[in-house]
Amino acid sequence: QVQPVESGGGSVQAGESLRLSCVGSRNTFIRNAMAWYRQAPGRQREFVAGMSHDGRTKYSDIVQGRFTISRDNAKMTMYLAINDLKPEDTAVYYCNTGGAFASGSYLPRRDSWGQGTQVTVSS
């Protein structure tokens, strides 16, 4: 299974929006769940949003309604749209594919992490 590749990050001003992309295997996207995580400097990696194989979504409370996860299996791509970016959103955003949901929580596949895309939000 090929590791996913994230893109779409950058340096933006607070209040702007970004759309992150994660490209992987179509078979992985169809058969398994996937999710976005982020890790800020000096902080632990945290779950942001996930999507099951059948399209069900789950969001962390930290996104406060500003994040939207979606998937296009034909393009082998998962997206994370972030609106009204805030300085506290500054982090490296990672994609994980091939995971699963259990009891409402996402279980990441350990060997299917991307290398991340940097999001930097200035005020």
Side-chain angles (χ1 to χ4, degrees):
Q1 191 161 303
V2 179
Q3 279 65 50
V5 178
E6 304 94 337
S7 63
S11 298
V12 300
Q13 295 285 330
E16 296 182 1
S17 299
L18 285 173
R19 188 193 192 200
L20 310 183
S21 298
C22 168
V23 179
S25 167
R26 184 182 67 183
N27 289 338
T28 298
F29 276 62
I30 292 174
R31 298 177 181 178
N32 303 104
M34 59 202 73
W36 287 96
Y37 287 73
R38 71 184 185 185
Q39 186 168 13
R43 307 290 293 181
Q44 295 187 33
R45 182 186 63 187
E46 61 183 357
F47 173 83
V48 175
M51 176 174 285
S52 69
H53 69 282
D54 56 358
R56 291 171 291 156
T57 59
K58 181 177 178 63
Y59 294 93
S60 169
D61 291 340
I62 66 175
V63 308
Q64 301 178 340
R66 298 181 295 109
F67 289 41
T68 302
I69 188 171
S70 60
R71 180 184 66 197
D72 187 334
N73 287 338
K75 297 181 178 180
M76 299 182 291
T77 303
M78 176 177 67
Y79 304 98
L80 184 69
I82 314 175
N83 299 316
D84 190 23
L85 280 156
K86 304 180 183 300
E88 54 263 40
D89 295 322
T90 295
V92 178
Y93 285 72
Y94 296 94
C95 171
N96 184 269
T97 59
F101 278 98
S103 299
S105 298
Y106 181 76
L107 304 178
R109 185 180 178 94
R110 298 177 65 181
D111 61 350
S112 191
W113 290 99
Q115 294 188 353
T117 183
Q118 176 72 50
V119 172
T120 302
V121 185
S122 59
S123 60

Coordinates of all heavy atoms in Angstrom, one line a residue, residues 15-59:
G15 N -8.4 34.4 8.9 CA -9.7 34.6 8.2 C -9.7 34.1 6.8 O -10.8 34.0 6.2
E16 N -8.6 33.7 6.2 CA -8.6 33.1 4.9 C -8.9 31.7 4.9 O -9.1 31.1 6.0 CB -7.2 33.4 4.2 CG -6.9 34.8 4.0 CD -5.6 35.0 3.3 OE1 -4.9 34.0 3.0 OE2 -5.2 36.2 3.1
S17 N -9.0 31.0 3.8 CA -9.4 29.6 3.7 C -8.3 28.8 2.9 O -7.6 29.4 2.0 CB -10.7 29.5 3.0 OG -11.8 30.1 3.8
L18 N -8.3 27.5 3.2 CA -7.4 26.6 2.4 C -8.1 25.3 2.2 O -9.1 25.0 2.9 CB -6.1 26.3 3.2 CG -5.0 27.4 3.3 CD1 -3.9 26.9 4.3 CD2 -4.4 27.6 1.9
R19 N -7.7 24.7 1.1 CA -8.2 23.3 0.8 C -7.1 22.4 0.7 O -6.3 22.5 -0.3 CB -9.1 23.4 -0.5 CG -9.8 22.1 -0.7 CD -10.3 22.1 -2.2 NE -11.3 21.0 -2.4 CZ -11.6 20.5 -3.6 NH1 -11.0 21.1 -4.7 NH2 -12.5 19.6 -3.8
L20 N -6.9 21.5 1.6 CA -5.9 20.5 1.6 C -6.3 19.3 0.8 O -7.4 18.9 0.8 CB -5.5 20.1 3.0 CG -5.2 21.3 4.0 CD1 -4.8 20.7 5.3 CD2 -4.2 22.2 3.4
S21 N -5.3 18.7 0.2 CA -5.6 17.5 -0.6 C -4.7 16.3 -0.2 O -3.5 16.5 0.3 CB -5.3 17.7 -2.1 OG -6.2 18.7 -2.6
C22 N -5.2 15.1 -0.3 CA -4.5 13.9 0.1 C -4.7 12.9 -1.0 O -5.8 12.5 -1.2 CB -4.9 13.4 1.4 SG -4.3 11.7 1.8
V23 N -3.6 12.6 -1.8 CA -3.7 11.6 -2.9 C -3.2 10.3 -2.5 O -2.1 10.2 -1.9 CB -3.0 12.2 -4.1 CG1 -3.1 11.2 -5.3 CG2 -3.5 13.5 -4.5
G24 N -4.0 9.3 -2.8 CA -3.6 7.9 -2.4 C -4.1 6.9 -3.4 O -4.3 7.2 -4.6
S25 N -4.3 5.7 -3.0 CA -4.8 4.6 -3.8 C -6.3 4.6 -3.8 O -7.0 4.7 -2.8 CB -4.3 3.3 -3.3 OG -5.0 2.2 -3.8
R26 N -6.9 4.4 -5.0 CA -8.3 4.3 -5.2 C -8.9 3.2 -4.3 O -9.9 3.3 -3.7 CB -8.7 4.2 -6.6 CG -10.2 4.2 -6.8 CD -10.6 4.0 -8.3 NE -10.2 2.6 -8.8 CZ -10.3 2.2 -10.0 NH1 -10.8 3.0 -10.9 NH2 -9.9 1.0 -10.3
N27 N -8.2 2.0 -4.4 CA -8.7 0.9 -3.6 C -8.7 1.2 -2.1 O -9.6 0.7 -1.4 CB -7.8 -0.3 -3.9 CG -8.0 -0.9 -5.3 OD1 -9.1 -0.6 -6.0 ND2 -7.0 -1.6 -5.8
T28 N -7.7 1.9 -1.7 CA -7.7 2.2 -0.3 C -8.8 3.1 0.1 O -9.4 3.0 1.2 CB -6.3 2.9 0.1 OG1 -5.3 1.9 -0.2 CG2 -6.3 3.3 1.5
F29 N -9.1 4.1 -0.8 CA -10.1 5.1 -0.5 C -11.5 4.4 -0.5 O -12.4 4.8 0.3 CB -10.1 6.2 -1.5 CG -9.1 7.3 -1.2 CD1 -7.8 7.1 -1.1 CD2 -9.6 8.6 -1.0 CE1 -6.9 8.1 -0.8 CE2 -8.7 9.6 -0.7 CZ -7.3 9.3 -0.6
I30 N -11.7 3.4 -1.4 CA -13.0 2.8 -1.5 C -13.2 1.8 -0.3 O -14.3 1.8 0.2 CB -13.1 2.0 -2.8 CG1 -13.1 3.0 -4.0 CG2 -14.3 1.1 -2.8 CD1 -13.1 2.3 -5.3
R31 N -12.2 1.1 0.1 CA -12.3 0.0 1.0 C -12.2 0.4 2.5 O -12.6 -0.3 3.4 CB -11.3 -1.1 0.7 CG -11.5 -1.7 -0.7 CD -10.5 -2.8 -0.9 NE -10.6 -3.4 -2.3 CZ -9.8 -4.3 -2.8 NH1 -8.7 -4.7 -2.1 NH2 -10.0 -4.8 -4.0
N32 N -11.5 1.5 2.7 CA -11.1 1.8 4.1 C -11.5 3.3 4.5 O -11.8 4.1 3.6 CB -9.6 1.6 4.3 CG -9.2 0.2 4.0 OD1 -8.6 0.0 2.9 ND2 -9.5 -0.7 4.9
A33 N -11.5 3.5 5.8 CA -11.7 4.9 6.3 C -10.4 5.7 6.1 O -9.3 5.1 5.9 CB -12.1 4.8 7.7
M34 N -10.5 7.0 6.3 CA -9.3 7.9 6.2 C -9.6 9.1 7.1 O -10.7 9.3 7.5 CB -9.1 8.3 4.8 CG -10.3 9.0 4.2 SD -10.3 9.0 2.3 CE -10.7 7.2 2.1
A35 N -8.5 9.8 7.4 CA -8.6 10.9 8.3 C -7.5 11.9 8.2 O -6.5 11.6 7.6 CB -8.7 10.4 9.8
W36 N -7.8 13.1 8.7 CA -6.8 14.2 8.8 C -6.4 14.4 10.2 O -7.3 14.4 11.1 CB -7.3 15.5 8.2 CG -7.4 15.6 6.7 CD1 -8.5 15.3 6.0 CD2 -6.4 15.9 5.8 NE1 -8.3 15.5 4.7 CE2 -7.0 15.8 4.5 CE3 -5.1 16.3 6.0 CZ2 -6.2 16.1 3.4 CZ3 -4.3 16.6 4.9 CH2 -4.9 16.5 3.6
Y37 N -5.1 14.5 10.4 CA -4.6 14.9 11.7 C -3.7 16.1 11.6 O -3.4 16.5 10.5 CB -3.7 13.8 12.3 CG -4.4 12.5 12.8 CD1 -5.0 11.7 11.9 CD2 -4.5 12.3 14.1 CE1 -5.7 10.5 12.3 CE2 -5.2 11.1 14.6 CZ -5.8 10.3 13.7 OH -6.4 9.1 14.2
R38 N -3.4 16.8 12.7 CA -2.5 17.9 12.7 C -1.6 17.9 13.9 O -1.9 17.3 14.9 CB -3.2 19.2 12.6 CG -3.9 19.6 13.8 CD -4.7 20.9 13.5 NE -5.4 21.4 14.8 CZ -6.2 22.5 14.8 NH1 -6.5 23.1 13.6 NH2 -6.7 22.9 15.9
Q39 N -0.4 18.4 13.8 CA 0.5 18.5 14.9 C 1.2 19.9 14.9 O 1.9 20.3 13.9 CB 1.6 17.5 14.7 CG 2.5 17.4 15.9 CD 3.4 16.2 15.9 OE1 3.5 15.5 15.0 NE2 4.1 15.9 17.1
A40 N 0.9 20.7 15.9 CA 1.5 22.0 16.1 C 2.8 21.9 16.7 O 3.1 20.9 17.4 CB 0.5 22.9 16.9
P41 N 3.7 22.9 16.6 CA 5.0 22.9 17.2 C 4.9 22.7 18.7 O 4.1 23.4 19.4 CB 5.6 24.2 16.9 CG 4.9 24.6 15.6 CD 3.5 24.1 15.8
G42 N 5.6 21.7 19.3 CA 5.6 21.4 20.7 C 4.4 20.7 21.2 O 4.2 20.6 22.4
R43 N 3.5 20.3 20.3 CA 2.2 19.6 20.7 C 2.2 18.2 20.1 O 2.9 17.9 19.2 CB 1.0 20.4 20.2 CG 1.0 21.9 20.6 CD 0.8 22.1 22.1 NE -0.6 21.7 22.4 CZ -1.1 21.7 23.6 NH1 -0.3 22.1 24.6 NH2 -2.3 21.3 23.9
Q44 N 1.3 17.4 20.7 CA 1.1 16.1 20.2 C 0.2 16.1 19.0 O -0.6 17.0 18.8 CB 0.5 15.2 21.3 CG 1.3 15.0 22.5 CD 0.7 14.0 23.4 OE1 0.0 13.0 23.0 NE2 1.0 14.1 24.7
R45 N 0.3 15.1 18.2 CA -0.6 14.9 17.0 C -2.0 14.8 17.5 O -2.3 14.1 18.4 CB -0.1 13.7 16.2 CG -1.0 13.5 14.9 CD -0.6 12.2 14.3 NE -0.8 11.1 15.1 CZ -0.5 9.8 14.9 NH1 0.2 9.5 13.8 NH2 -0.8 8.8 15.7
E46 N -2.9 15.4 16.8 CA -4.3 15.4 17.2 C -5.2 15.1 16.0 O -5.0 15.5 14.9 CB -4.8 16.7 17.9 CG -4.7 17.9 17.1 CD -5.1 19.2 17.8 OE1 -5.5 19.1 19.0 OE2 -5.0 20.3 17.2
F47 N -6.3 14.4 16.2 CA -7.3 14.0 15.2 C -8.1 15.3 14.9 O -8.4 16.1 15.7 CB -8.2 13.0 15.8 CG -9.4 12.7 14.9 CD1 -9.3 11.8 13.8 CD2 -10.6 13.2 15.1 CE1 -10.3 11.5 13.0 CE2 -11.7 12.9 14.3 CZ -11.6 12.1 13.2
V48 N -8.3 15.5 13.6 CA -9.1 16.6 13.1 C -10.4 16.2 12.5 O -11.5 16.7 13.0 CB -8.3 17.4 12.0 CG1 -9.1 18.5 11.4 CG2 -7.0 18.0 12.6
A49 N -10.4 15.3 11.5 CA -11.6 14.9 10.9 C -11.4 13.6 10.2 O -10.3 13.3 9.7 CB -12.1 15.9 9.9
G50 N -12.4 12.7 10.1 CA -12.3 11.4 9.4 C -13.5 11.1 8.7 O -14.6 11.7 8.9
M51 N -13.4 10.2 7.7 CA -14.5 9.7 6.9 C -14.4 8.2 6.8 O -13.3 7.6 6.4 CB -14.5 10.4 5.5 CG -15.5 9.8 4.6 SD -15.6 10.8 3.0 CE -16.4 12.3 3.6
S52 N -15.5 7.5 7.0 CA -15.6 6.1 6.9 C -15.6 5.7 5.4 O -15.8 6.5 4.5 CB -16.8 5.5 7.6 OG -18.0 5.9 7.0
H53 N -15.5 4.4 5.2 CA -15.5 3.9 3.8 C -16.8 4.1 3.1 O -16.9 4.2 1.9 CB -15.2 2.4 3.8 CG -16.3 1.5 4.4 ND1 -16.5 1.4 5.7 CD2 -17.3 0.8 3.8 CE1 -17.6 0.6 5.9 NE2 -18.0 0.2 4.8
D54 N -17.9 4.3 3.9 CA -19.2 4.5 3.3 C -19.7 5.9 3.4 O -20.9 6.2 3.3 CB -20.3 3.5 3.9 CG -20.3 3.6 5.4 OD1 -19.6 4.4 6.0 OD2 -21.2 2.9 6.0
G55 N -18.8 6.8 3.7 CA -19.1 8.3 3.6 C -19.5 8.9 4.9 O -19.7 10.1 4.9
R56 N -19.5 8.2 6.0 CA -19.8 8.8 7.3 C -18.6 9.7 7.8 O -17.5 9.3 7.6 CB -20.2 7.8 8.3 CG -21.5 7.1 8.1 CD -21.7 5.9 9.0 NE -20.7 4.8 8.7 CZ -20.3 3.9 9.6 NH1 -20.8 3.9 10.8 NH2 -19.5 3.0 9.2
T57 N -18.9 10.8 8.4 CA -17.9 11.7 8.8 C -17.9 11.9 10.3 O -18.9 11.7 11.0 CB -18.0 13.1 8.1 OG1 -19.3 13.6 8.5 CG2 -17.9 13.0 6.6
K58 N -16.7 12.2 10.8 CA -16.6 12.5 12.2 C -15.6 13.7 12.4 O -14.5 13.6 11.7 CB -16.1 11.3 13.0 CG -15.9 11.6 14.5 CD -15.5 10.3 15.2 CE -15.3 10.6 16.7 NZ -16.6 11.0 17.4
Y59 N -15.9 14.6 13.2 CA -15.1 15.8 13.4 C -14.7 15.9 14.8 O -15.5 15.7 15.7 CB -15.8 17.1 12.9 CG -16.1 17.1 11.4 CD1 -17.3 16.7 10.9 CD2 -15.1 17.7 10.6 CE1 -17.5 16.8 9.5 CE2 -15.3 17.7 9.2 CZ -16.6 17.3 8.7 OH -16.8 17.3 7.4

